[in-house]
C-alpha cells in the first residue's frame, strides 16, 4: 500500500503537470480535489484515464469519482481492492 | 431553409419527426469501435460515401441545397459555424499515415463555408465561426449584424458538423455521454448523445412573400468561468438570453416557446434551468430540448434548432422533450412531454458551448412589427494597445528587427512565450493557447488602460494543433481506449479565447473565427459587427502555432515554406474614436472565384472615400506562399490601376508563413503610424514619412481582403 501511495504521488504530478508540487506535498489524507494542489474536475477525468490505463480499474461515473478521489488514501484503497479483484 | 439531422433530410421530414416525437438516436456505424466503447449517436442516414468530400461538407451541401432551392440570386455572404470540418477524413488519413498535404486540403473548418460560397457563386465573405456548441447560433448573430449594417442583402448562414472520433471519444473521456441515449432534463440523465447534421438559413434584409420566420435578435456572452463546465448558476446563459431579448426589442412575456440547449448532461441542464428560472421566474414559457431526438450536433446544433424553431412557428407545432421520462424536480422546469399543435409566434433558442461560450437567438413570426430593431453601428474601432510575437521574440524585439529590415520568421521558444503567464493558469495549456493568452495580456498591458476587455475576438487558421495531435496520437496508440480529456478540451478551436476570457473576466461576446489565411480579418470583421453595445474595450487577437507534423499537412503555404514559423498579433480596441490616435477598420472582403472584377470592386470601395494614393502611405501585402503568383498579379493589378506610388511591403517575407501573419502586419501598421514613418531599410533606405496617411493591409490569394489603420 505504501508503495502504491508513493507511485500515485509521482504519477499524479506527472500526468497533471503540477508545477512546483513535490510528491510528498500530496498528503495521504489531505483533500485531493479542490484543495491547495489546484486539482479540479478536468484533472479528475485525466486521473480516471490514467488509473484505468495503468491499473485496469474503471471509475466511470461522477458519484463514484467523488468518493474515490476524496484523498490519496481512498484512491489507493480503491485501486488496491479493484485491481486485486481483477487479477483474481 | 434547409436541414439534415438523424431525424431526416429536409424540412418536411424534420417536421414529421417532430410531430410524431421520433428519435434519430441509434448505434454508431460510421467507424468501428470496441464493443464496450459503443454509445448511441445521432447519425445522419443516406449520405453517399464520397472519399473526396468530407462528411461535414456533404451535410452542409445538402442543407444549403434546400435553403437555396427557390433563391434566384447568389447570397452576398456565407456565414457558418463549424468545429469538426474535415476531421473524420483527417482521422482516417492519419490512421493510414498519409503524408501528402493535398489529401488534407478540406481539413479546415473554413473550407466548408468556402465550398458553399463557391457552389452558390457567392463572391462576398465566407466566414467561419468556431465557438464549439454555440457556433451555429453565433453564425446567425453575425449574419444578422451584417444585414443590419446594410452592406449585404442576402446571407446564407448556418452550421454543419459531422461525427468523428475526436468528438465521440472526447466527450466520452469527459464522462458526458449517456450510455442509454440522451435524456435531457430527466432525473436519471447521464449525458448527451453526440450527433451530426447541418442546417442553413437564407436570411434576407427585405421580407419576401415566402418568408418562413424572422430572426428578430441574438445575444452572445461568455461565462469566463471554466474551460468545459458551465457556470453553476447559469450566469452566462442568462446574460445571452437577456441580450437576445433586448436585441430583438421584445419583452420576456413575448416568448411563447424556448428551444433549450438541453444537452442532457447534469451540469448543462441544471445551469440552463437556473438561468431560465432567474429570467422567467414563475412565468416560464413552453420549453423543450430536441437533443434527445436528434443528438447534439455541436457546431450545427444552433442552426438546426433555429430551423426547428422556425418550423415550430410556421407549422404551429411545439416539439417534445424526447428522451425525458421523469423530469428532474430539481430543475423546476416543466418540459413539453408530447408534441402538440399551438400557434407559436416567438421562440427563444439557446446554444451554449465549451469555453463558457453562449449564444441565444430570438425568432418570430413574420409580418409582426419589430420596433426594437437595432440600427447598425459603423463607428471605427480605436486602437488602445497592440502586441505581437514572431520567431524573433515579443513585440519590442520583433519591431526592432523589422525596423532593421530583418526577417523575423521562426518559432519562438515556448518558455519565452510563457514568461509572463501564471504557472497555475498555463499548466494545461500547450503552444497555441499560450501564444493567444500571452498576446492578449501584452496588448492590454500596452494600452495602459485601467479597464479590462469585455469581449474577445480570436482569429486562427488552425487552432490548437498540439492538443489535437496529442489527443489523436494517444487515441490511436491505445486502440481508442485512453484519450486525454485535457487534450480534448484544449483541442476545441475556441478554448484559447475562453482562457483569455477567464484571464480578464470578459463576459461579453467571445468569438473565434477560423477562416484559414483570412482568420484575423474575419475576427476583426466580427468584432466590428457585434461590438455595438460594448462600452468597454475588447481584444482582437490573431495567432497560429507551428506544429511539427500537422502544420505542413494542413496549411499549403507552410508546406511550401522552408522555414517553419508561427506567432500572432493582438489589438486592444474600443468602439468609437476615443482618445486614441489610431483606428482600424475592415474595409473589404471578397472571394476571387466567379469574381473577375474583384480588384475593381476593391478600388471602387476604397476610392469612394478618397483616392488610394492620398489615403494610404503604405500597403502591407500578404501573399500566402501557396497562392503567391496569383497574389502578386492581384497586387500588381491594384497598383497599376490606382497608380499607387508609396511603399509596398511583402510582409510574409519578414514574418513567415502562418495563417494569422496578417495580425502581426496590423501591429506593424500601428507601430509605423505611431512613429509617423516607415523604417528606412524597408523602403530601399529612403526615409518615408507617413504624415496624415494611413496603412492598408491587403490579403491576396483565394480572397482579397483589406483592413485599414488610420491616424485621426
Amino acid at each position: 500500500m505504501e508503495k502504491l501511495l508513493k507511485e500515485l504521488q509521482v504519477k499524479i504530478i506527472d500526468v497533471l503537470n503540477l508545477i512546483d508540487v513535490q510528491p510528498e506535498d500530496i498528503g495521504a489524507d489531505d483533500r485531493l480535489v479542490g484543495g491547495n494542489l489546484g486539482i479540479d474536475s478536468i484533472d479528475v477525468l485525466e486521473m480516471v484515464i490514467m488509473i484505468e490505463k495503468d491499473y485496469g480499474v474503471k471509475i466511470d461515473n461522477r458519484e463514484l469519482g467523488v468518493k474515490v478521489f476524496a484523498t490519496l488514501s481512498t484512491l489507493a484503497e480503491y485501486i488496491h481492492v479493484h485491481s486485486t479483484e481483477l487479477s483474481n | 431553409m434547409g436541414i439534415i439531422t438523424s431525424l431526416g433530410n429536409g424540412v418536411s421530414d424534420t417536421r414529421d419527426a417532430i410531430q410524431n416525437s421520433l428519435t434519430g438516436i441509434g448505434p454508431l456505424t460510421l467507424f468501428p469501435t470496441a464493443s464496450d466503447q459503443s454509445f448511441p449517436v445521432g447519425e445522419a442516414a443516406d449520405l453517399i460515401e464520397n472519399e473526396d468530400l468530407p462528411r461535414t461538407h456533404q451535410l452542409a451541401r445538402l442543407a444549403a441545397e434546400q435553403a437555396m432551392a427557390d433563391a434566384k440570386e447568389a447570397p452576398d455572404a456565407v456565414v457558418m459555424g463549424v468545429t469538426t470540418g474535415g476531421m473524420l477524413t483527417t482521422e482516417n488519413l492519419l490512421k493510414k499515415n498519409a503524408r501528402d498535404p493535398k489529401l488534407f486540403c478540406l481539413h479546415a473548418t473554413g473550407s466548408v463555408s468556402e465550398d458553399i460560397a463557391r457552389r452558390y457563386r457567392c463572391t462576398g465573405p465566407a466566414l467561419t465561426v468556431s465557438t464549439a456548441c454555440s457556433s451555429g447560433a453565433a453564425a446567425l448573430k453575425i449574419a444578422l449584424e451584417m444585414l443590419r449594417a446594410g452592406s449585404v442583402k442576402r446571407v446564407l448562414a448556418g452550421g454543419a458538423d459531422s461525427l468523428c472520433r475526436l468528438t465521440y471519444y472526447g466527450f466520452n473521456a469527459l464522462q458526458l455521454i449517456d450510455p442509454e441515449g440522451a435524456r435531457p432534463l430527466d432525473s436519471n440523465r447521464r449525458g448527451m448523445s453526440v450527433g451530426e447534421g447541418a442546417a442553413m438559413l437564407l436570411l434576407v434584409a427585405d421580407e419576401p412573400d415566402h418568408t418562413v420566420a424572422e430572426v428578430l435578435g441574438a445575444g452572445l456572452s461568455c461565462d469566463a468561468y471554466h474551460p468545459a463546465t458551465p457556470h453553476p448558476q447559469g450566469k452566462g446563459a442568462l446574460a445571452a438570453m437577456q441580450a437576445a431579448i433586448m436585441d430583438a426589442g421584445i419583452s420576456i412575456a413575448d416568448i411563447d416557446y424556448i428551444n433549450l440547449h438541453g444537452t442532457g448532461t447534469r451540469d448543462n441542464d441544471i445551469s440552463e434551468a437556473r438561468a431560465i428560472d432567474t429570467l422567467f421566474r414563475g412565468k416560464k414559457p413552453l420549453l423543450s430540448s430536441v437533443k434527445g431526438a436528434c443528438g447534439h450536433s455541436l457546431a450545427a446544433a444552433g442552426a438546426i434548432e433555429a430551423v426547428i424553431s422556425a418550423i415550430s412557428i410556421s407549422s404551429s407545432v411545439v416539439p417534445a422533450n424526447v428522451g425525458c421520462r421523469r423530469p428532474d424536480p430539481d430543475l423546476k422546469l416543466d418540459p413539453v412531454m408530447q408534441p402538440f399543435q399551438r400557434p407559436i409566434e416567438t421562440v427563444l433558442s439557446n446554444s451554449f458551448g465549451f469555453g463558457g461560450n453562449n449564444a441565444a437567438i430570438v425568432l418570430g413570426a413574420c409580418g409582426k412589427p419589430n420596433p426594437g430593431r437595432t440600427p447598425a453601428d459603423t463607428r471605427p474601432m480605436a486602437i488602445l494597445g497592440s502586441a505581437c510575437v514572431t520567431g524573433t521574440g515579443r513585440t519590442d524585439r520583433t519591431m526592432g528587427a523589422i525596423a532593421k529590415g530583418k526577417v523575423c520568421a521562426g518559432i519562438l521558444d515556448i518558455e519565452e512565450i510563457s514568461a509572463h503567464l501564471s504557472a497555475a493558469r498555463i499548466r494545461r495549456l500547450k503552444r497555441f493557447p499560450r501564444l493567444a493568452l500571452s498576446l492578449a495580456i501584452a496588448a492590454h498591458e500596452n494600452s495602459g488602460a485601467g479597464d479590462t476587455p469585455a469581449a474577445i475576438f480570436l482569429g486562427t487558421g488552425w487552432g490548437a494543433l498540439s492538443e489535437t495531435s496529442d489527443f489523436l496520437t494517444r487515441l490511436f496508440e491505445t486502440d481508442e481506449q485512453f484519450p486525454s480529456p485535457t487534450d480534448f478540451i484544449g483541442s476545441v478551436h475556441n478554448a484559447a479565447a475562453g482562457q483569455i476570457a477567464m484571464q480578464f473576466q470578459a463576459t461579453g461576446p467571445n468569438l473565434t473565427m477560423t477562416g484559414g489565411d483570412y482568420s484575423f480579418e474575419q475576427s476583426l470583421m466580427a468584432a466590428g459587427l457585434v461590438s455595438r453595445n460594448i462600452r468597454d474595450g475588447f481584444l482582437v487577437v490573431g495567432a497560429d502555432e507551428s506544429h511539427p507534423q500537422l502544420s505542413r499537412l494542413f496549411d499549403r503555404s507552410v508546406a511550401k515554406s522552408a522555414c517553419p514559423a508561427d506567432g500572432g498579433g493582438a489589438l486592444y480596441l474600443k468602439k468609437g474614436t476615443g482618445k486614441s490616435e489610431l483606428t482600424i477598420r475592415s474595409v473589404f472582403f471578397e472571394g476571387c472565384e466567379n469574381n473577375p472584377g474583384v480588384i475593381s470592386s476593391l478600388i471602387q470601395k476604397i476610392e469612394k472615400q478618397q483616392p488610394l494614393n492620398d489615403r494610404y502611405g503604405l500597403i502591407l501585402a500578404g501573399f500566402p506562399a501557396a497562392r503567391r503568383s496569383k497574389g502578386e498579379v492581384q497586387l500588381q493589378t491594384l497598383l497599376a490601376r490606382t497608380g499607387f506610388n508609396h511603399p509596398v511591403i511583402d510582409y510574409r517575407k519578414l514574418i513567415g508563413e502562418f495563417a494569422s501573419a496578417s495580425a502581426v502586419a496590423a501591429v506593424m501598421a500601428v507601430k509605423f503610424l505611431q512613429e509617423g514613418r516607415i523604417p528606412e531599410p524597408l523602403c530601399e533606405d529612403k526615409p518615408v514619412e507617413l504624415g496624415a496617411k494611413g496603412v492598408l493591409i491587403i490579403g491576396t490569394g483565394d480572397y482579397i481582403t483589406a483592413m485599414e489603420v488610420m491616424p485621426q
Side-chain angles (χ1 to χ4, degrees):
Chain A
M1 206 48 186
E2 196 59 28
K3 190 175 153 238
L4 180 58
L5 281 169
K6 284 215 154 60
E7 194 174 281
L8 284 171
Q9 285 171 326
V10 174
K11 282 189 180 196
I12 288 172
I13 290 172
D14 178 45
V15 163
L16 305 184
N17 193 24
L18 296 176
I19 299 158
D20 300 334
V21 176
Q22 302 304 316
E24 57 274 18
D25 295 342
I26 310 179
D29 298 308
D30 293 348
R31 186 173 161 194
L32 192 57
V33 182
N36 296 334
L37 298 167
I39 295 178
D40 69 5
S41 58
I42 300 175
D43 296 318
V44 168
L45 295 165
E46 203 62 64
M47 289 191 284
V48 164
I49 302 273
M50 180 266 285
I51 286 153
E52 187 177 344
K53 184 164 158 269
D54 295 357
Y55 301 97
V57 175
K58 272 194 186 199
I59 305 159
D60 59 2
N61 70 72
R62 200 191 301 190
E63 292 70 31
L64 179 61
V66 170
K67 285 184 207 143
V68 174
F69 290 101
T71 66
L72 193 67
S73 297
T74 56
L75 176 61
E77 181 65 28
Y78 190 83
I79 293 172
H80 181 70
V81 170
H82 290 81
S83 61
T84 317
E85 264 176 22
L86 209 73
S87 53
N88 287 343
Chain B
M1 55 191 193
I3 183 167
I4 173 165
T5 68
S6 60
L7 287 176
N9 184 6
V11 167
S12 165
D13 280 8
T14 306
R15 185 192 304 115
D16 288 350
I18 288 169
Q19 279 169 336
N20 295 299
S21 216
L22 303 181
T23 178
I25 293 175
L28 174 79
T29 67
L30 262 184
F31 44 86
T33 61
S35 61
D36 65 337
Q37 288 273 327
S38 189
F39 309 106
V41 292
E43 197 174 290
D46 305 330
L47 255 70
I48 301 155
E49 282 296 319
N50 183 344
E51 285 218 333
D52 298 328
L53 191 68
R55 201 170 162 88
T56 301
H57 298 64
Q58 291 184 49
L59 291 163
R61 283 186 180 189
L62 287 166
E65 202 62 33
Q66 298 160 27
M68 293 298 291
D70 297 326
K72 292 184 182 66
E73 290 171 277
D76 300 324
V78 173
V79 188
M80 290 191 67
V82 181
T83 65
T84 66
M87 185 53 86
L88 180 63
T89 304
T90 295
E91 290 164 352
N92 295 337
L93 290 166
L94 291 176
K95 268 177 103 87
K96 284 193 286 194
N97 238 340
R99 285 289 173 265
D100 179 359
K102 277 197 210 86
L103 299 169
F104 295 86
C105 65
L106 294 176
H107 169 79
T109 52
S111 67
V112 183
S113 38
E114 287 170 19
D115 178 61
I116 296 300
R118 214 173 295 125
R119 281 172 76 78
Y120 296 99
R121 304 182 76 81
C122 164
T123 55
L127 308 182
T128 307
V129 196
S130 289
T131 56
C133 308
S134 62
S135 308
L140 292 172
K141 168 68 175 174
I142 292 173
L144 177 65
E145 293 299 339
M146 289 175 101
L147 290 167
R148 283 172 174 167
S151 53
V152 297
K153 297 278 178 227
R154 293 170 301 279
V155 185
L156 183 58
D161 255 353
S162 87
L163 281 161
C164 63
R165 295 170 184 86
L166 179 79
T167 48
Y168 177 82
Y169 290 108
F171 283 111
N172 186 43
L174 297 182
Q175 299 188 347
L176 291 178
I177 301 284
D178 192 328
E180 315 266 316
R183 294 168 275 182
L185 314 190
D186 193 279
S187 291
N188 297 317
R189 70 187 184 281
R190 285 181 60 189
M192 64 168 88
S193 294
V194 189
E196 63 179 356
M200 298 299 291
L201 299 93
L202 181 62
L203 304 180
V204 296
D206 310 315
E207 201 176 287
D209 296 340
H210 55 275
T211 305
V212 186
E214 197 176 341
V215 179
L216 299 178
L220 305 173
S221 78
C222 185
D223 285 1
Y225 169 72
H226 188 271
T229 308
H231 186 277
Q233 298 304 321
K235 214 171 134 190
L238 174 67
M241 288 191 282
Q242 282 171 326
I245 289 167
M246 192 193 279
D247 191 49
I250 59 166
S251 74
I252 56 167
D254 294 323
I255 307 284
D256 298 317
Y257 165 63
I258 305 177
N259 186 286
L260 300 169
H261 183 52
T263 56
T265 67
R266 305 269 352 152
D267 288 336
N268 172 79
D269 291 4
I270 189 78
S271 157
E272 188 173 13
R274 284 175 180 157
I276 286 171
D277 199 48
T278 308
L279 186 58
F280 292 90
R281 303 273 165 204
K283 293 180 180 166
K284 290 178 194 132
L286 295 165
L287 49 89
S288 64
S289 160
V290 296
K291 290 195 175 73
C294 58
H296 184 1
S297 314
L298 313 181
I304 285 170
E305 288 161 33
V307 168
I308 289 176
S309 300
I311 292 174
S312 177
I313 291 167
S314 61
S315 303
S316 304
V317 58
V318 186
N321 200 107
V322 174
C324 174
R325 277 173 226 114
R326 201 172 64 88
D328 183 349
D330 289 347
L331 301 179
K332 297 188 210 153
L333 296 180
D334 186 16
V336 175
M337 300 299 278
Q338 288 299 324
F340 63 96
Q341 296 292 129
R342 174 181 293 184
I344 296 292
E345 289 202 337
T346 312
V347 180
L348 174 67
S349 178
N350 287 342
S351 296
F352 312 132
F354 271 5
N357 203 301
N358 310 300
I361 55 176
V362 177
L363 288 96
C366 28
K368 280 190 71 180
N370 182 4
R373 196 175 307 216
T374 337
D377 171 8
T378 50
R379 287 178 297 163
M381 295 176 276
I383 300 170
L384 307 180
S386 64
C388 66
V389 167
T390 66
T392 296
R394 296 155 70 82
T395 317
D396 290 347
R397 285 200 171 178
T398 293
M399 295 317 297
I402 285 176
K404 292 183 187 135
K406 286 188 181 157
V407 172
C408 300
I411 301 175
L412 192 63
D413 187 74
I414 193 159
E415 296 305 327
E416 201 166 332
I417 294 169
S418 323
H420 303 266
L421 304 175
S422 110
R425 186 172 290 284
I426 61 171
R427 149 171 90 88
R428 286 191 291 238
L429 306 185
K430 295 182 179 174
R431 188 169 180 86
F432 171 65
R434 287 190 190 197
L435 254 174
L437 188 59
S438 154
L439 284 165
I441 292 171
H444 177 254
E445 264 176 19
N446 177 252
S447 74
D451 61 355
T452 55
I456 313 294
F457 302 91
L458 174 67
T460 176
W462 306 101
L465 292 177
S466 295
E467 286 84 344
T468 305
S469 175
D470 292 352
F471 180 91
L472 292 175
T473 303
R474 203 164 106 185
L475 183 73
F476 298 155
E477 278 174 1
T478 62
D479 282 333
E480 312 193 340
Q481 297 289 307
F482 304 115
S484 160
T486 310
D487 282 337
F488 176 58
I489 293 167
S491 76
V492 181
H493 281 97
N494 66 312
Q499 289 291 338
I500 300 173
M502 283 192 282
Q503 169 77 28
F504 290 108
Q505 287 302 298
T507 53
N510 189 294
L511 291 177
T512 295
M513 309 298 290
T514 53
D517 291 321
Y518 315 97
S519 300
F520 179 71
E521 286 80 351
Q522 294 195 10
S523 67
L524 185 74
M525 188 188 260
L529 287 165
V530 310
S531 57
R532 178 183 336 114
N533 295 324
I534 304 171
R535 264 170 290 165
D536 298 325
F538 50 91
L539 281 159
V540 181
V541 184
D544 272 288
E545 71 163 303
S546 171
H547 185 269
Q549 284 86 42
L550 297 186
S551 291
R552 63 168 294 281
L553 291 181
F554 294 165
D555 189 324
R556 292 165 302 176
S557 295
V558 171
K560 283 196 159 228
S561 162
C563 168
D566 67 5
L571 301 173
Y572 186 49
L573 305 174
K574 203 170 215 170
K575 209 68 190 263
T577 48
K579 286 181 191 155
S580 164
E581 289 169 358
L582 299 175
T583 61
I584 189 165
R585 199 165 65 95
S586 168
V587 183
F588 188 81
F589 199 125
E590 281 191 18
C592 300
E593 202 158 319
N594 306 316
N595 193 9
V598 61
I599 300 292
S600 308
S601 176
L602 168 67
I603 296 168
Q604 205 183 359
K605 186 82 180 271
I606 290 171
E607 300 212 328
K608 223 168 27 183
Q609 305 174 76
Q610 217 177 348
L612 196 75
N613 221 15
D614 299 347
R615 191 168 177 83
Y616 308 114
L618 168 68
I619 289 179
L620 294 173
F623 307 110
R627 293 285 179 268
R628 179 163 275 278
S629 48
K630 185 177 174 182
E632 286 176 348
V633 172
Q634 290 165 336
L635 182 78
Q636 285 314 316
T637 312
L638 172 72
L639 300 182
R641 287 206 201 153
T642 55
F644 188 78
N645 58 13
H646 304 298
V648 176
I649 297 173
D650 181 346
Y651 66 76
R652 280 200 180 211
K653 282 203 170 147
L654 292 168
I655 298 164
E657 288 297 336
F658 55 96
S660 51
S662 57
V664 183
V667 176
M668 280 169 66
V670 170
K671 298 296 179 191
F672 295 172
L673 283 165
Q674 282 171 344
E675 294 283 320
R677 48 182 281 278
I678 310 166
E680 290 172 27
L682 299 176
C683 356
E684 294 160 353
D685 289 327
K686 282 177 287 192
V688 176
E689 301 292 321
L690 282 162
K693 292 192 171 84
V695 176
L696 187 68
I697 305 161
I698 298 254
T700 68
D702 295 337
Y703 284 79
I704 297 287
T705 60
M707 305 181 283
E708 61 171 26
V709 181
M710 300 299 292
Q712 293 214 34

